[in-house]
Amino acid sequence: VIELVVTDCLDAQSIADEVVIGTFNTVPVAEAGSDQTVHPRDTVTLDGSGSSDPEEDYPLAYSWQFTSKPEGSAVVLSDANTVSPSFTVDMLGDYVIELVVTDSLGEQSAADQVVIGTFNTAPVAEAGQGQTVHPRDTVTLDGSGSSDAEEDYPLAYSWQFTSKPEGSIAVLLDANTVSPSFTVDKLGDYVIELVVTDSLGAQSTADQVVIGTFNTAAVAEAGPDQVIIQIGTTIGLDGTSSSDPEGDGITYLWTITQKPAGSSAVLSDTSSPTPTFIADVHADFVITLVVTDEFGAASDPDIVTVSFDNIQPMADAGLDQSVLAGDTVSLDGSASTDTNGDVLTYSWSFVSRPAGSVAVFSDPTSVQPSFVADEPGDYVVSLVVNDGFVDSDAAIVTITAISHKDEAVKALLESIDVIANLDQGMLKNGNETSDSLINKINAVLGIIDQENYVTAEGKLQNDVLERMNGCTTIGGPDSNDWIIVCEGQGRVYPLIIKAQGHLKKLF
């Protein structure tokens, strides 16, 4: 407050007058910086440098404090009275921090808040590769391929059966470790699921592994054919060379499947590995042995023949074959046998051929003749061998000649089934893409049905292969591909190529 008094030249004074000079100070503005989203264990640096004072009453004094943080968090600010304090995130959740600034004249700002949010990506469970094992085997699972994007280790493992064969009592040992194990006790599939949890509690989706089983049938060995010359001879059979590939225990079942009229021969013990019988009539006896392993897999029957004098030779025309129409087929009768060691002669003949076929043997008396399968269909071939005294029974082998048209259609139908079962994420537009590809393949099938093979092959090349060939041509899906994952292309592309190859054979 200031007072003014004036005096004139005669020293007369005025009445005093006052004037008041007031002051003001605008409050500063706190700016706590931008919100952030970070991962636990990250160090967060706050930034109050955007704070200001309208009259530039600097320097500003800074005061930071948490107004809320996740339950259980023990974090503290490194230096709450600096422009840029920091802290290390220790829990999932939101951290709310408040900043107040004070100017050099003591005026305090309103509080400004910044929110530090957190994230945690779920880990990925990897249950390992499927296996195919034999009952009684111990299977060790492997979850070591599981991972966490932010390396929130250690991971916790949780394995469980989601299905197993009926009657199985298999139990996982150490189901909460990376590599549990169990012993297979039944034939069938064991489906095991793995879920992993990271150190911050985020849980993966389940991943499954399938442990399949196999059991190879036992092999019956009834022993060599025998030749005798005396009625009343006791014949000893020997199946002890029978075996099981996996070492499973086997049981025996012998049967006299052929004996002469008037014979009363019986086996001493049909379940013994070495039964006996008496050859009481002068003619052939045929005995069959089937062995069965402990898991119920029966062998193919094996036959032993006991003959008097000359033993009828046995023709073996080889295994059935499957070829493409137009191929040259090689037959092999070299496995034919004669117990007496006589030299065999061979006689091959067609029992039946496909309509229109004019196939002939290169040499019907050769041990290994050949012929051209000139039409699609079944060629039923008979082989009879002769030991100089008697003919063998005919051995039949069937050669199936498959048409290129049928093989092309088969491959395309299989490709449709694969496409229909692709994960939608493998397709450019999900079901729409799946339906479009299947429609294009169905169109090709229609053209094949009309026997327009050149057009069908061209349509496969331009309308189908071009939609799934990026991974083959450039190593990854291209912009024209409708199947956008190489795994998906790898399932379908080879089938289309196979069909295309068969169609080209028909030009």
Side-chain angles (χ1 to χ4, degrees):
V1 178
I2 305 159
E3 184 180 83
L4 172 64
V5 176
V6 296
T7 305
D8 66 11
C9 60
L10 298 177
D11 294 321
Q13 280 189 337
S14 70
I15 298 171
D17 190 32
E18 291 180 343
V19 64
V20 178
I21 306 301
T23 62
F24 68 91
N25 184 22
T26 307
V27 296
V29 177
E31 176 53 62
S34 299
D35 293 345
Q36 302 178 47
T37 302
V38 299
H39 183 260
R41 295 198 310 271
D42 287 352
T43 295
V44 176
T45 300
L46 303 173
D47 184 8
S49 62
S51 303
S52 61
D53 186 86
E55 293 91 17
E56 300 186 350
D57 296 323
Y58 300 124
L60 298 176
Y62 298 83
S63 177
W64 300 82
Q65 68 175 354
F66 287 102
T67 60
S68 72
K69 52 188 176 181
E71 183 177 352
S73 173
V75 299
V76 293
L77 290 167
S78 61
D79 190 344
N81 298 117
T82 63
V83 66
S84 299
S86 63
F87 68 96
T88 299
V89 177
D90 64 347
M91 303 285 287
L92 284 170
D94 289 341
Y95 297 77
V96 182
I97 305 100
E98 183 182 82
L99 170 63
V100 174
V101 296
T102 304
D103 69 15
S104 60
L105 297 177
E107 195 69 39
Q108 197 173 70
S109 72
D112 187 42
Q113 289 186 336
V114 62
V115 178
I116 307 303
T118 56
F119 69 90
N120 183 27
T121 306
V124 177
E126 175 53 63
Q129 297 294 316
Q131 303 176 47
T132 303
V133 299
H134 184 259
R136 293 199 310 271
D137 286 352
T138 295
V139 175
T140 299
L141 304 172
D142 184 8
S144 63
S146 302
S147 60
D148 186 85
E150 293 96 18
E151 298 187 350
D152 296 323
Y153 299 123
L155 298 177
Y157 299 83
S158 178
W159 300 81
Q160 66 176 355
F161 287 107
T162 59
S163 71
K164 52 188 176 181
E166 183 177 354
S168 171
I169 57 172
V171 176
L172 284 169
L173 300 178
D174 299 320
N176 297 115
T177 65
V178 65
S179 298
S181 62
F182 70 96
T183 299
V184 176
D185 62 349
K186 296 287 183 182
L187 283 169
D189 287 341
Y190 297 76
V191 181
I192 304 100
E193 181 181 84
L194 169 63
V195 173
V196 295
T197 304
D198 70 17
S199 59
L200 297 173
Q203 196 172 74
S204 72
T205 56
D207 188 41
Q208 289 187 336
V209 62
V210 179
I211 306 302
T213 56
F214 68 90
N215 184 32
T216 308
V219 178
E221 178 53 65
D225 290 343
Q226 302 181 44
V227 179
I228 60 172
I229 58 173
Q230 217 172 22
I231 291 175
T233 299
T234 298
I235 307 297
L237 301 172
D238 187 358
T240 58
S241 293
S242 301
S243 60
D244 185 87
E246 292 95 25
D248 300 328
I250 57 177
T251 57
Y252 300 81
L253 179 61
W254 295 87
T255 306
I256 298 178
T257 52
Q258 178 184 318
K259 59 184 177 181
S263 172
S264 59
V266 293
L267 293 165
S268 61
D269 183 351
T270 58
S271 61
S272 167
T274 55
T276 62
F277 74 94
I278 296 174
D280 56 351
V281 174
H282 196 292
D284 292 348
F285 294 81
V286 178
I287 303 93
T288 298
L289 171 62
V290 174
V291 293
T292 304
D293 72 16
E294 63 189 272
F295 294 103
S299 70
D300 291 331
D302 191 42
I303 294 173
V304 59
T305 301
V306 178
S307 302
F308 286 82
D309 297 324
N310 185 56
I311 304 296
Q312 181 187 27
M314 296 182 65
D316 187 332
L319 299 175
D320 291 345
Q321 301 180 47
S322 183
V323 300
L324 289 169
D327 286 354
T328 296
V329 178
S330 296
L331 300 171
D332 188 0
S334 61
S336 302
T337 58
D338 182 82
T339 303
N340 305 107
D342 300 322
V343 176
L344 298 176
T345 58
Y346 300 83
S347 177
W348 297 86
S349 62
F350 286 106
V351 177
S352 64
R353 292 176 292 185
S357 172
V358 294
V360 293
F361 296 107
S362 58
D363 182 354
T365 62
S366 168
V367 64
Q368 294 177 321
S370 62
F371 69 91
V372 175
D374 56 349
E375 293 289 341
D378 287 339
Y379 296 76
V380 181
V381 178
S382 170
L383 170 63
V384 174
V385 295
N386 185 280
D387 65 358
F389 304 97
V390 294
D391 285 339
S392 70
D393 293 329
I396 302 297
V397 63
T398 300
I399 311 300
T400 301
I402 305 167
S403 74
H404 288 287
K405 175 182 177 181
D406 289 342
E407 282 298 281
V409 168
K410 179 181 176 183
L412 292 177
L413 290 174
E414 186 177 353
S415 73
I416 288 173
D417 186 60
V418 172
I419 291 168
N421 287 285
L422 285 177
D423 187 278
Q424 297 302 300
M426 294 184 177
L427 301 168
K428 191 170 186 178
N429 293 310
N431 283 331
E432 180 181 346
T433 297
S434 175
D435 292 342
S436 296
L437 275 176
I438 289 171
N439 288 339
K440 288 181 179 294
I441 295 171
N442 279 327
V444 173
L445 288 169
I447 297 170
I448 293 172
D449 192 53
Q450 297 167 9
E451 299 187 349
N452 192 344
Y453 305 121
V454 173
T455 301
E457 189 275 336
K459 193 167 183 66
L460 276 184
Q461 179 64 42
N462 299 319
D463 283 0
V464 179
L465 280 176
E466 291 297 319
R467 308 301 184 187
M468 59 184 71
N469 65 352
C471 295
T472 298
T473 58
I474 63 173
D478 61 34
S479 60
N480 293 324
D481 286 343
W482 288 5
I483 300 177
I484 57 174
V485 176
C486 285
E487 180 187 351
Q489 290 191 17
R491 296 180 193 174
V492 183
Y493 184 88
L495 294 171
I496 304 302
I497 290 295
K498 181 179 179 180
Q500 190 181 42
H502 285 294
L503 289 174
K504 288 179 178 178
K505 296 284 187 178
L506 297 168
F507 293 175

